[in-house]
Amino acid sequence: MSTQHGTPHDSRRNRGLFRTKTVEQSIRDTEEPEHALKKSLSALDLTVFGVGVVIGTGIFVLTGKIAKEQAGPAVALSFVVAGVVCALAALCYAEFASTVPVAGSAYTFSYASLGELPAWIIGWDLILELALGCAVVAVGWSGYVRSLLDSAGLHLPAALSGTHEGRFGFDLLAFLLVLLLTAILVFGMKLSSRVTAVVVGIKVTVVLLVIVAGAFFINGANYTPFIPPSETGEAGSGLGAPLSQLMFGLAPATFGTMGIFAAAAVVFFAFIGFDIVATAAEETRNPQRDVPRGILGSLAICTLLYVAVSIVVTGMQKYSKLSTDAPLADAFKDLGHPFFAGVISFGAAVGLTSVSMILLLGQSRVFFAMSRDGLLPRAFSRSHPRFGTPYRSTIALGAVVAVVAGFTSIDELAELVNIGTLFAFVVVAVGVILLRRSRPDLPRSFRTPLVPLVPVLSVAASVWLMLNLPAETWVRFAIWMVLGFVIYFLYGRSHSRLGLRNRRPAKD
């Protein structure tokens, strides 16, 4: 009898819920003409994508808010800590993306290392996180644009301004933004990268202008004390409390050394998005070289900008006097420079455009990869014959996200955006260790240093941050995962292309 199916252990592994899809097969699937994506991106394009999705309104709001409530001027150190945590995950992503240059990011990586069911779980999770993330950002963008229109004397009807404070409405601006970005993504990655480059250029110029202008108003006395004395924070209750408090009785800390690390758990979410660079690996001309550069380069640039802005805002105004809604803009207003406050609002509105588009891009690529593997209907994995983009999945998901953004308030959306990214970080870090052991022969143009130490540290840091999330976020996450299990066992498992291949009778 032929041994083409490998050892009995391999056979069992490839027929169960944890059947793995080889790296070679993943790459071969990208060569099917009807399901192939056009390669047009460079390392610079990927770096711009990374900066475009990470730098959003958070740089103008989160820096001052966390300084006032948790870390004081030492919030700059919190950004460094969060940047290090992200760097651990980024090193793991860089190895996987250069070894398996296929659309789908963490979904594809886990399929090659952990198996089909874990891959489905992470893919299903990423679809939710990226869809809600895109909707949240679109609603936030709408708020900034309405504010700018109000300043110009133009007012949208309340019924078209979204749902706010119990008043139901349709957010027309958020709806139209998502549809416009969907059209841009359908027309090609190169067009998307050019639009993103222009938007990111404007956004980074605004950030640099704020840093340089704010530096002239820094008062050294505002940095004292740099690390304010530690205080015991208010303990949460019920499902609103952090999981770490419910499990271990750990009371939240503010200020002091522990305040720096507690703040890092919050500002970490300002970095979410750099991993989306990996979803574009299949559309990169030289992914083995350029994807690691794009991931690590964008993360380094964003960390530097976050630290610089946090130093400026806490130097311009005493941390205890910062506003929590628009701390940087209000600091300029208090110093008699409202022009810069307007520039910040403009930069935030422009910046959120690229964030929303890249989240939608990442989501459509994960959906496309799952469809190409048969875990979702194969009709969604057709690429456009002219533009080489996954147009069916992009249009379908864009329409859904546009409706969600139009009818849902930002508070209802924001709760679920965070936990999935951390879960993906854990899966990718574990996957690096497993693939090193199961396939040491694979060519790796980028290798994560100090394996297994770096992946283990990445897992530990991500789990710690997950435990700082409210219990209600875990409950919602669990409900979505249960729904995913149901869909997998009713549809995905029986339609899996890998499963169908493995069920073909072996030749004697």
Side-chain angles (χ1 to χ4, degrees):
M1 179 177 289
S2 172
T3 59
Q4 66 176 343
H5 290 279
T7 67
H9 172 75
D10 291 334
S11 179
R12 287 194 300 271
R13 177 171 175 77
N14 285 331
R15 292 178 185 273
L17 298 176
F18 295 90
R19 55 198 175 204
T20 56
K21 182 179 180 182
T22 65
V23 173
E24 292 82 2
Q25 183 60 55
S26 294
I27 294 174
R28 280 197 298 272
D29 285 349
T30 69
E31 297 167 355
E32 298 174 353
E34 289 186 335
H35 306 283
L37 300 179
K38 186 176 180 180
K39 298 181 181 295
S40 59
L41 301 178
S42 65
L44 178 61
D45 293 324
L46 296 176
T47 303
V48 169
F49 274 138
V51 175
V53 72
V54 174
I55 299 295
T57 184
I59 196 169
F60 303 119
V61 177
L62 200 58
T63 46
K65 177 180 171 64
I66 300 305
K68 180 175 183 176
E69 298 178 349
Q70 288 190 288
V75 67
L77 300 179
S78 299
F79 275 108
V80 172
V81 170
V84 170
V85 173
C86 288
L88 294 172
L91 290 169
C92 298
Y93 267 90
E95 174 169 327
F96 252 131
S98 62
T99 307
V100 195
V102 177
S105 185
Y107 158 76
T108 301
F109 306 157
S110 56
Y111 211 159
S113 56
L114 300 175
E116 184 172 282
L117 182 59
W120 165 267
I121 292 171
I122 197 63
W124 183 248
D125 161 64
L126 288 174
I127 288 173
L128 172 73
E129 302 306 323
L130 297 175
L132 290 188
C134 180
V136 166
V137 173
V139 173
W141 174 88
S142 174
Y144 273 104
V145 173
R146 285 198 307 272
S147 176
L148 292 171
L149 291 175
D150 290 342
S151 300
L154 303 173
H155 307 285
L156 277 179
L160 298 177
S161 298
T163 301
H164 304 285
E165 299 175 354
R167 177 179 53 78
F168 180 79
F170 178 70
D171 197 327
L172 178 64
L173 293 178
F175 177 80
L176 293 177
L177 173 68
V178 176
L179 292 184
L180 173 62
L181 298 179
T182 300
I184 292 173
L185 289 172
V186 167
F187 287 134
M189 278 294 280
K190 201 59 187 176
L191 173 62
S192 304
S193 67
R194 286 170 180 164
V195 171
T196 303
V198 172
V199 171
V200 170
I202 295 172
K203 178 163 54 176
V204 172
T205 300
V206 170
V207 173
L208 293 176
L209 176 63
V210 167
I211 292 171
V212 173
F216 288 97
F217 302 107
I218 288 177
N219 180 354
N222 291 331
Y223 292 128
T224 305
F226 187 74
I227 303 178
S230 178
E231 299 177 9
T232 301
E234 292 186 13
S237 59
L239 292 178
L243 192 62
S244 59
Q245 179 187 322
L246 297 178
M247 292 178 62
F248 310 115
L250 299 176
T254 57
F255 303 114
T257 303
M258 289 306 298
I260 295 173
F261 290 98
V266 179
V267 302
F268 166 84
F269 301 118
F271 288 91
I272 284 179
F274 73 86
D275 52 306
I276 292 177
V277 172
T279 67
E282 191 175 327
E283 294 158 276
T284 304
R285 287 192 292 265
N286 188 348
Q288 288 77 11
R289 180 195 68 190
D290 293 343
V291 174
R293 290 181 179 181
I295 293 174
L296 298 171
S298 59
L299 181 60
I301 292 170
C302 294
T303 302
L304 183 62
L305 291 176
Y306 275 134
V307 170
V309 169
S310 61
I311 290 173
V312 167
V313 70
T314 53
M316 290 177 62
Q317 195 169 40
K318 190 72 174 177
Y319 74 90
S320 57
K321 296 181 180 179
L322 289 169
S323 75
T324 56
D325 294 327
L328 200 53
D330 290 343
F332 275 109
K333 286 181 182 177
D334 291 344
L335 292 170
H337 295 276
F339 168 77
F340 289 105
V343 169
I344 291 170
S345 295
F346 172 75
V350 171
L352 289 179
T353 306
S354 66
V355 176
S356 190
M357 184 171 76
I358 298 167
L359 288 171
L360 186 59
L361 179 152
Q363 181 203 24
S364 64
R365 269 53 180 180
V366 173
F367 197 91
F368 170 83
M370 296 175 74
S371 171
R372 187 165 58 188
D373 289 331
L375 301 182
L376 291 170
R378 287 269 288 169
F380 290 109
S381 65
R382 291 289 183 90
S383 57
H384 195 282
R386 178 181 174 187
F387 304 121
T389 56
Y391 69 109
R392 290 183 176 180
S393 60
T394 302
I395 292 172
L397 293 170
V400 171
V401 173
V403 171
V404 171
F407 285 104
T408 316
S409 76
I410 195 167
D411 293 332
E412 294 171 345
L413 293 173
E415 293 293 335
L416 273 169
V417 174
N418 302 323
I419 192 169
T421 301
L422 287 164
F423 183 49
F425 286 2
V426 172
V427 170
V428 170
V430 172
V432 165
I433 297 175
L434 294 179
L435 201 62
R436 283 280 188 99
R437 291 180 177 178
S438 64
R439 293 295 307 275
D441 57 306
L442 279 177
R444 293 169 169 84
S445 58
F446 180 92
R447 298 178 67 88
T448 303
L450 302 176
V451 172
L453 178 61
V454 167
V456 167
L457 289 175
S458 179
V459 169
S462 298
V463 170
W464 175 71
L465 292 177
M466 291 172 76
L467 291 175
N468 282 276
L469 292 171
E472 61 186 355
T473 301
W474 284 83
V475 171
R476 293 190 179 104
F477 181 66
I479 292 172
W480 178 256
M481 287 294 106
V482 169
L483 177 61
F485 275 108
V486 171
I487 294 176
Y488 173 74
F489 284 105
L490 289 181
Y491 181 89
R493 187 183 184 191
S494 60
H495 289 79
S496 163
R497 295 184 70 201
L498 180 60
L500 293 174
R501 289 192 194 107
N502 292 337
R503 282 195 290 271
R504 291 171 187 160
K507 297 179 180 179
D508 291 326

